[in-house]
Amino acid sequence: MTDSWWKKSVVYQIYPRSFADADGDGMGDLRGVIDHLDHLAELGVDVLWLSPVYPSPQDDNGYDISDYQDIEPLFGTLEIFDELLAGAHARNMKIIMDLVVNHSSDEHRWFQESRSSTDNPKRDWYWWRPARPGMEPGAPGAEPTNWGSVFGGPSWEYDEKTGEYYLHLFSKKQPDLNWENPEVRQAVYAMMRWWLDRGVDGFRMDVINMISKDVSLPDGRLTAGSVYADGSASFIGGPRLHEFLQEMHREVFEGRDGLLTVGEMPGVTVNEAVLHTDPQRHEVDMVFQFDHVWVDRGPDPWLLVPLQLTALKAILGRWQAGLADVGWNSLYWNNHDQPRVVSRYGDDSPAHRSASAKMLGTVLHLHRGTPYVYQGEELGMTNYPFGGIDEFRDIEALGQYRQAVELEGRTPEEVLTVLRARGRDNARTPMQWDDSPHGGFTTGTPWLPVNPNHAEINAKAQRADPDSVFHYYRRLIELRRTEPAVADGDFTMLLPHDERVYAFTRRLGSTELLVIGNFSGVEAHAAIDGWDGAELLLTNLEPPAGGLCLAPWQAVVYRRSV
Ligand code: NOJ
């Protein structure tokens, strides 16, 4: 029996360090989340995903975990965590934890032991390798492979104590765990059971499609102009990934109900996702794919590519078709790694911000799948007006800037142009609760400045305004509960060649919904027949006067019986 309650649910992601600071140290915390549970309940979401709250040196804002079974003191204690869990459950919201087990922190005791000597029993818990044959250990270019790390620089760090290198696909403070070692896997499973026993409702699994590596660790292909190669062919969707996920399912989830698992999988294909989310195969409930957030990325990472709507539709249409019968989609525009969608695929100017935020929400939530709302998305929060590189805090932005400017000869301005538009700190500026000096996020100095537009864009003002993005999201989320075709209907893409209009139908039994979004700042006519007289369920602007003629950034949802 498959328990798929999450098909009817909406998930809300909390990035705790930027959500709400209850103790005035400038950093969000668990008490701050507790204080705002009513905002989330009012919005109507069913599940909260907490980005990592475990003890961590915070090299990558908590995605570098030094103890998997405790709470980072900056954020609170296990007791406060239990209080949060109870407060969420009391409001009928579940909580899923971020599970970051492709790597740990270098300050985790497992790694401390592993690095202490070549014969330590935990040596093999991480990926240790000698220098490239014939090369001096530690010399430039002597790394065991030519792979670059995601955050810039090589993906190997030389450790003088034992004269070997360890693998880190992300920062050098995030050594990769060796999933080939069954003790590692059992330790992870035991930790996961411990959280489930505590009452948590599932996991969002960080870069989980990187846990199985090609153990021969071959060099990657170097492209012109880069100093390091892309090694991802050796660790994305590796040879034992399905086996590991099935083992995890058996060891951790079997016999437990009411849980949600979502695997973050950069580079996953539709065919692989079908296998991962086929309920008969017992791997994960859904995956986060990346194709639709890479659509505005070209071969040159330091060149902005504008959104081409037909390409976006082709991608999302392919995912809808691919997972129509078997498996399930997750739906997201935003998370803590993506720029704000209203600035990216919408229009964040005062004239169109609110309409385009609502239109984007409509189109996303009415696809078939489970929608994810990232904190502030329900307010239409925008990118931050970053100046120079000194205003960024993200290890990815800083590392990539260094590599591009210092090693690859890019100009600071071309790199900054892309970071301002795409950098992860855009998502991480504090939540805008009200119009007070730091947006009601903190009484202290925020770790990252609050967007100056919090004077206009904030939760307090939007809760008081029935026409706000917040209340529109509430209605959108409510529609999932009142109209079964939203969760269960099939999906048909319309107008695939239209560069302005995004349109599709959803059908369940005799009910059919038509969803149209105008992705442009000019009026657009949707060439779709047969909907005269249909019931208008939802729109973000004045109802169209006649025909399917949409105002700039307008969204409409119609219903009819067929
Ligand atoms: C994906 C996470 O979402 C991102 O924030 C993090 O930097 C990397 N994985 C490494 O954990």
Side-chain angles (χ1 to χ4, degrees), residues 311-333:
L312 181 67
K313 289 192 279 192
I315 289 169
L316 289 175
R318 191 161 46 79
W319 278 90
Q320 290 287 304
L323 274 74
D325 300 324
V326 175
W328 191 248
N329 270 295
S330 70
L331 307 170
Y332 75 96
W333 292 133

Side-chain angles (χ1 to χ4, degrees), residues 27-104:
M27 183 78 75
D29 45 43
L30 294 181
R31 179 69 62 202
V33 180
I34 294 175
D35 291 346
H36 289 89
L37 281 174
D38 286 334
H39 171 87
L40 305 170
E42 189 183 339
L43 185 59
V45 297
D46 308 276
V47 182
L48 309 179
W49 147 27
L50 280 189
S51 275
V53 289
Y54 315 93
S56 160
Q58 301 289 318
D59 189 50
D60 184 20
N61 293 0
Y63 282 88
D64 48 315
I65 297 171
S66 52
D67 181 350
Y68 288 106
Q69 293 181 212
D70 205 344
I71 296 292
E72 162 62 41
L74 281 170
F75 295 145
T77 60
L78 276 170
E79 288 64 42
I80 302 176
F81 177 82
D82 290 340
E83 208 184 306
L84 168 59
L85 195 56
H89 286 167
R91 291 167 178 82
N92 284 323
M93 294 184 290
K94 298 182 185 254
I95 293 194
I96 64 171
M97 303 291 279
D98 221 306
L99 179 81
V100 189
V101 289
N102 173 68
H103 43 267
S104 72

Side-chain angles (χ1 to χ4, degrees), residues 16-258:
R17 63 189 276 139
S18 303
F19 190 66
D21 171 22
D23 64 7
D25 65 356
M27 183 78 75
D29 45 43
L30 294 181
R31 179 69 62 202
V33 180
I34 294 175
D35 291 346
H36 289 89
L37 281 174
D38 286 334
H39 171 87
L40 305 170
E42 189 183 339
L43 185 59
V45 297
D46 308 276
V47 182
L48 309 179
W49 147 27
L50 280 189
S51 275
V53 289
Y54 315 93
S56 160
Q58 301 289 318
D59 189 50
D60 184 20
N61 293 0
Y63 282 88
D64 48 315
I65 297 171
S66 52
D67 181 350
Y68 288 106
Q69 293 181 212
D70 205 344
I71 296 292
E72 162 62 41
L74 281 170
F75 295 145
T77 60
L78 276 170
E79 288 64 42
I80 302 176
F81 177 82
D82 290 340
E83 208 184 306
L84 168 59
L85 195 56
H89 286 167
R91 291 167 178 82
N92 284 323
M93 294 184 290
K94 298 182 185 254
I95 293 194
I96 64 171
M97 303 291 279
D98 221 306
L99 179 81
V100 189
V101 289
N102 173 68
H103 43 267
S104 72
S105 163
D106 66 336
E107 297 183 33
H108 194 292
R109 69 183 159 73
W110 295 344
F111 188 73
Q112 299 288 317
E113 286 178 42
S114 183
R115 83 183 328 173
S116 65
S117 70
T118 51
D119 56 8
N120 183 277
K122 289 208 168 48
R123 183 64 168 183
D124 187 45
W125 281 42
Y126 294 85
W127 294 86
W128 290 98
R129 290 290 183 278
R132 202 173 270 273
M135 294 203 63
E136 178 68 22
E143 292 85 10
T145 71
N146 61 359
W147 305 349
S149 79
V150 176
F151 296 154
S155 63
W156 295 92
E157 179 71 7
Y158 180 59
D159 198 44
E160 268 186 8
K161 175 141 199 233
T162 54
E164 289 188 330
Y165 292 80
Y166 64 86
L167 176 68
H168 61 88
L169 297 181
F170 294 88
S171 100
K172 65 181 179 197
K173 289 186 66 64
Q174 292 168 298
D176 279 55
L177 280 159
N178 177 13
W179 277 68
E180 295 295 318
N181 184 328
E183 290 176 17
V184 169
R185 306 202 299 274
Q186 289 305 327
V188 168
Y189 304 153
M191 171 273 282
M192 293 171 74
R193 289 189 295 260
W194 184 85
W195 282 106
L196 294 179
D197 291 344
R198 205 169 188 101
V200 312
D201 304 290
F203 298 96
R204 172 269 186 188
M205 304 175 181
D206 191 71
V207 289
I208 202 70
N209 64 336
M210 300 190 187
I211 57 177
S212 164
K213 278 112 174 143
D214 172 347
V215 295
S216 71
L217 302 178
D219 272 340
R221 206 166 47 85
L222 266 174
T223 48
S226 0
V227 275
Y228 300 105
D230 172 8
S232 60
S234 304
F235 54 76
I236 296 255
R240 299 183 69 189
L241 177 59
H242 292 290
E243 174 198 335
F244 291 161
L245 289 175
Q246 288 170 8
E247 178 184 77
M248 175 193 282
H249 192 281
R250 261 194 326 274
E251 297 276 333
V252 179
F253 300 114
E254 212 165 80
R256 299 185 193 245
D257 286 331

Side-chain angles (χ1 to χ4, degrees), residues 391-409:
E391 292 184 25
F392 290 84
R393 294 288 169 276
D394 175 21
I395 185 169
E396 177 177 86
L398 302 176
Q400 292 183 348
Y401 179 90
R402 207 174 308 120
Q403 180 170 315
V405 173
E406 289 169 19
L407 298 179
E408 296 172 355

